[in-house]
Amino acid sequence: GGPATSASISSPLAVAYDPRTGRLYVCDSANQRVRVVYPDGTISTLAGAGNPGYGGDGGPAVLASFNTPAGVAVGPDGLVYVADSSNDRVRAIGPNGTVWTVAGGGDSSAVDVPARSARLRGPWAIVVDASGSIFFSDSLNYRVCVISPDGLLRLVAGTGASSAGPDGVSAVSSAIGRSYGLALDGYGNLLISEVEHCRVRNVSRTLGTIRTIAGDPAGSNCGPNSLNRPYGIAFDAISGALYVADAFNHRVRALAADGGALRTLAGNGTSGFWGDGGPAADSLLYYPSALALGYNGTLYVAESGNNRVRAIGFVAPPVAVTTSIGTTSPGSTSTGTTSTGTTSTGTSSTGSTSTGTTSTGTTSTGTSSTGSTSTGT
């Protein structure tokens, strides 16, 4: 109930913005909670008792146990969906605060089965379309699935292999590896970030084919001149721009609607915490892990290394960055250290930063190659 900027969060791995209410949802992952930041900048716990485990379905979400909530999304009906990653489940929270499981917990590795009978492994990113279909990355099964409105689990992309699959074929016949980021573009195409393969791919809604739109199409080159472990992604349906949390480069990257090269929107490539109130491109980020677009083009950035959620506010250049959730003590710039952040949110202030606590991260630098990009449906 206090200011989000005074709250302590730990390793935020996901953020989602609800344009109908102005609320920002944050997976406070190491604290085993889902938090909500209201338009007045206050924060409260939506779900999770703070202890890792599984339990509480059918009761109040705030008393339920979660284990590494890593994805969050809001459906058209106002339900909040959470990828309860280490519990291998997708769960839902209703308007009355009750929680229940919508997928996982079963023993079936097949698709086209009731979602609750499925055996999931490490569900992570999650996004819901206008029809209520729930897309999520079943990350350790190396696939992306959808729960259709009839409650069945269907395959969208991936073969179950961790290798880098080819472009120009059916998405269900191309391997994708682990995915920590999903988004829908303005045409209903599904965008998927592939962590180890350092690329973002597009699954055509009408054709079902897959192609690379950012990073190395071969999925083999990672580094400072391309993408290096892309995590969360966000798509701006108004401008057609794609935003990528380029986690191991400690940057947020942008791809314009007309394609071309990736450009850096925030972060100078050095890990750390610095730059609130100044140009985002000059700031220091520390493992940006998730993105969400808010009111008036504000881009929220969850930084798992700084234990904060920060906001990039812009209508036109220059871009400014500020912290809106999390405490103001800086995160360590050395790899794998943790600092506690507190957060405060607001809905659309330009250049404000929101939530985050720090989680220990590891880095590995891949080879560097320039990623080419193209957009389209």
Side-chain angles (χ1 to χ4, degrees):
T5 51
S6 300
S8 178
I9 62 173
S10 185
S11 189
L13 293 177
V15 286
Y17 179 80
D18 185 353
R20 295 161 298 188
T21 63
R23 295 174 181 175
L24 182 71
Y25 296 89
V26 181
C27 282
D28 187 5
S29 303
N31 284 328
Q32 316 301 340
R33 291 183 169 102
V34 178
R35 314 290 291 277
V36 56
V37 182
Y38 298 96
D40 64 0
T42 59
I43 189 171
S44 67
T45 296
L46 176 72
N51 54 303
Y54 174 73
D57 274 7
V62 293
L63 301 179
S65 296
F66 289 74
N67 199 347
T68 318
V72 62
V74 184
D77 52 3
L79 296 183
V80 177
Y81 296 95
V82 180
D84 193 1
S85 188
S86 294
N87 279 326
D88 300 324
R89 288 169 168 85
V90 175
R91 302 170 81 179
I93 302 162
N96 64 352
T98 301
V99 64
W100 67 95
T101 295
V102 296
D107 57 8
S108 175
S109 58
V111 292
D112 298 321
V113 298
R116 292 194 60 177
S117 70
R119 181 191 298 124
L120 309 181
R121 295 182 63 224
W124 199 281
I126 188 166
V127 65
V128 186
D129 71 10
S131 74
S133 295
I134 307 160
F135 297 84
F136 68 94
S137 61
D138 191 9
S139 68
L140 295 179
N141 279 327
Y142 308 115
R143 64 184 185 177
V144 174
C145 297
V146 61
I147 306 167
S148 57
D150 61 7
L152 294 181
L153 184 80
R154 294 187 168 89
L155 182 65
V156 177
T159 63
S162 61
S163 55
D167 283 348
V169 299
S170 170
V172 297
S173 63
S174 184
I176 63 170
R178 285 187 300 159
S179 172
Y180 288 168
L182 296 178
L184 292 164
D185 72 9
Y187 300 96
N189 303 311
L190 183 67
L191 311 180
I192 304 170
S193 72
E194 297 183 26
V195 178
E196 291 96 348
H197 305 146
C198 299
R199 61 185 179 178
V200 179
R201 303 174 82 189
N202 176 310
V203 178
S204 170
R205 178 181 64 86
T206 55
L207 301 177
T209 53
I210 192 168
R211 63 188 178 89
T212 298
I213 59 172
D216 176 27
S220 58
N221 293 317
C222 305
N225 296 322
S226 182
L227 296 174
N228 196 356
R229 306 304 188 266
Y231 273 52
I233 56 177
F235 184 84
D236 186 346
I238 296 175
S239 69
L242 170 69
Y243 300 102
V244 183
D246 192 4
F248 281 23
N249 279 330
H250 308 292
R251 290 184 170 108
V252 175
R253 312 292 289 278
L255 176 67
D258 58 358
L262 286 165
R263 67 180 180 90
T264 296
L265 179 67
N268 69 4
T270 301
S271 63
F273 175 75
W274 183 83
D276 273 9
D282 296 336
S283 66
L284 299 183
L285 308 180
Y286 196 6
Y287 295 124
S289 53
L291 304 173
L293 274 166
Y295 176 75
N296 203 28
T298 298
L299 183 66
Y300 293 101
V301 183
E303 290 183 66
S304 61
N306 276 327
N307 298 318
R308 287 172 171 81
V309 176
R310 302 170 81 182
I312 302 170
F314 64 97
V315 176
V319 177
V321 62
T322 62
T323 296
S324 59
I325 302 175
T327 57
T328 57
S329 60
S332 167
T333 59
S334 61
T335 301
T337 61
T338 304
S339 69
T340 301
T342 62
T343 60
S344 74
T345 47
T347 61
S348 62
S349 58
T350 299
S352 60
T353 305
S354 58
T355 73
T357 57
T358 307
S359 67
T360 302
T362 59
T363 60
S364 64
T365 303
T367 58
S368 172
S369 70
T370 301
S372 61
T373 61
S374 63
T375 57
T377 61

